[in-house]
Amino acid sequence: MGTLSEEILGAPAGEYVDRKVDRAFVHDGTGVLTLEAWRCMGSGRIADPSRTYILFDHIAPANNSITANLQAELRQFAREHGIRFSEVGGGICHQLMSEGEVLPGEVVVGADSHSCTLGAFGAFATGVGATDMAAIWSEGMTWFRVPHTIGIRLSGTLPPRTEAKDLALTYVGRLGMDGASYQAIEFSGTGARGLSMDDRLTLSNLAVETGAKAGLFYADRVTCEYLAGFGKKVVPQVPAGCCYARTISIDLHEIVPVVAVPPRVDSVKPVSELEGLPIDQVFVGTCTNGRYADLERFARLVAGKKVKVRTIVVPASGSILARGIESGIIRDIIAAGCVVGSPGCGPCLGAHMGVIGEGEVCLSTANRNFRNRMGVGGEIYLGSVGTAAATALAGVLTDPGGA
Amino acid sequence: MRIEGKALCLPQDIDTDVIIAGRYLRTKDRKLWAVHAFEDLDPGIAPRLAGAVIVAGKNFGCGSSREQAAIALREAGVAGIVAPSFARIFFRNAVNVGLPVVECDCPCTDNTLVVAELEEGYVEMGGSRIPARKLSPRMIGILKAGGLVDFWRASH
């Protein structure tokens, strides 16, 4: 009888465990360092290539010769060792792992801090660094300290014009940037059961912004139906009635559209308090809000209108882009004056396309607004897809409730 | 295991984006990361890193999992980092690349001599001794080996 993390890791909170890893993934950014460390270790083996993934998303396609050469090396390595590989344009690692790969109860590690996203499936999913990953490639195992858990009990349903993103920023604001350090977050309650898989992924995605090691939902009917769509048959997890280190309750009825004010993700304010702030760029996408439901919502809000500031929309995966083309939402987004980028991380980390200039302000649906992240001297406000749409249409920060 | 150096004081919630910016990540040139460390916080910090002990506020190394952040500081010659708490991925990365990290809540005065004893668990600065959390024997072993790669090679 324990928390979901305790059940999956098989030991009580506070204990160190060596645990077999069910799935391990890196992207083009962290993969380079992982490969270097793996070569230095000299094992020469990949424990389980069929459960090891190299997924290109951070600078995809490559922006210059240095990046292209690093990517060529990783691509070749994946081919030689039979490692699961996703080419540029395939999509963001966390999104691809959520498209029928990660299953409830698994232990999943990614060489990216937002690997906690996959806790939405009732898996124990967390981020590790490159050297840890190199050892995991060789041995298929790693050590964990089983985390204590903060319970976030959700009730009610979200009001119209608010989204899981507003709820996510709200809980980050309440816990603070290190409020869940070394701990896991478990989302439960009637409010959690009413959330779609896409919403849950958004909520788990931001767990690391509180310092959390993981952000988990119990697999339920919603999870099973979602995975059935990918041909995966799974059964619900039954909460054990565990004890949390701390519990906070959030009534979804009380959520309002919010933004995180730079340079902190936990500096959360209602959009209504900041309306009219000049915005130079709007960015819709990322592992937080680049899923089909996000793009569909955005398209519905801008269809038949024209955006007043440059607006970049980046689908989180190739299959989302393909679906969006088929359904017509990509056409609506382009007709509204937006540019659609190739699936991947886009401008989120300021490494290539969509970088902002000095003194410029971006309203982004991503998860980080740290100083200079999207470009030197630029500022990032984080908000929902609805806030992004209202802001793009108005040219200034705008509450979606008033749109 | 003992580290010492001149204190370099930094505030709380130092994220890995300010330790090394995303625009410098796509290379294998480790010296480049050392040169540009903390550039977006204060370009004057990088030249002071060699031989320094960083004494920071809570939640050091939050944000991105980029191991380049820990590597940059080690390459720059940082002797170790003392902070009341670290973001967990950075903490693990630091140990894995052989950069000593000490969990200790101590006040900081720039350029004062800092001595930290990792196995016994204390930090000395300005004439006072402040208790620190001890590292596990495994972590000490990894640090003494110079990082997880060398530790791994020695044990396989």
Side-chain angles (χ1 to χ4, degrees), chain A residues 232-286:
Chain A
K232 298 289 164 73
K233 195 169 158 37
V234 300
V235 294
Q237 292 163 323
V238 182
C242 53
C243 41
Y244 296 133
R246 180 185 165 199
T247 304
I248 65 173
S249 298
I250 299 178
D251 181 353
L252 271 53
H253 290 298
E254 290 170 7
I255 299 298
V256 296
V258 291
V259 286
V261 178
R264 295 180 66 97
V265 188
D266 63 356
S267 168
V268 176
K269 289 195 173 146
V271 180
S272 57
E273 284 182 20
L274 294 161
E275 270 199 311
L277 183 90
I279 298 289
D280 301 286
Q281 172 170 302
V282 171
F283 169 43
V284 177
T286 78

Side-chain angles (χ1 to χ4, degrees), chain B residues 28-36 74-76:
Chain B
K28 287 185 186 174
D29 182 358
R30 293 167 176 239
K31 286 289 170 215
L32 186 89
W33 301 329
V35 170
H36 293 286
R74 189 181 180 217
E75 284 296 319

Side-chain angles (χ1 to χ4, degrees), chain A residues 126-128 144 181-182 211-213, chain B residues 86-93:
Chain A
T126 194
V128 297
F144 296 103
S181 267
Y182 297 98
K213 191 170 193 167
Chain B
F86 292 83
R88 56 162 287 277
I89 301 177
F90 179 87
F91 188 78
R92 214 166 148 148
N93 286 345

Side-chain angles (χ1 to χ4, degrees), chain A residues 42 93 97 104 131-132 267 398:
Chain A
C93 56
M97 296 304 289
T131 305
D132 265 333
S267 168
T398 302

Side-chain angles (χ1 to χ4, degrees), chain A residues 248-333:
Chain A
I248 65 173
S249 298
I250 299 178
D251 181 353
L252 271 53
H253 290 298
E254 290 170 7
I255 299 298
V256 296
V258 291
V259 286
V261 178
R264 295 180 66 97
V265 188
D266 63 356
S267 168
V268 176
K269 289 195 173 146
V271 180
S272 57
E273 284 182 20
L274 294 161
E275 270 199 311
L277 183 90
I279 298 289
D280 301 286
Q281 172 170 302
V282 171
F283 169 43
V284 177
T286 78
C287 52
T288 315
N289 277 130
R291 282 175 273 280
Y292 186 80
D294 298 314
L295 270 51
E296 188 183 40
R297 178 192 292 264
F298 184 77
R300 196 171 63 238
L301 294 167
V302 301
K305 300 171 184 161
K306 286 284 180 194
V307 296
K308 288 202 178 126
V309 287
R310 67 174 187 271
T311 301
I312 301 169
V313 179
V314 179
S317 75
S319 60
I320 292 169
L321 174 61
R323 191 175 161 199
I325 289 171
E326 205 169 308
S327 69
I329 62 168
I330 297 294
R331 182 194 56 218
D332 292 341
I333 289 170

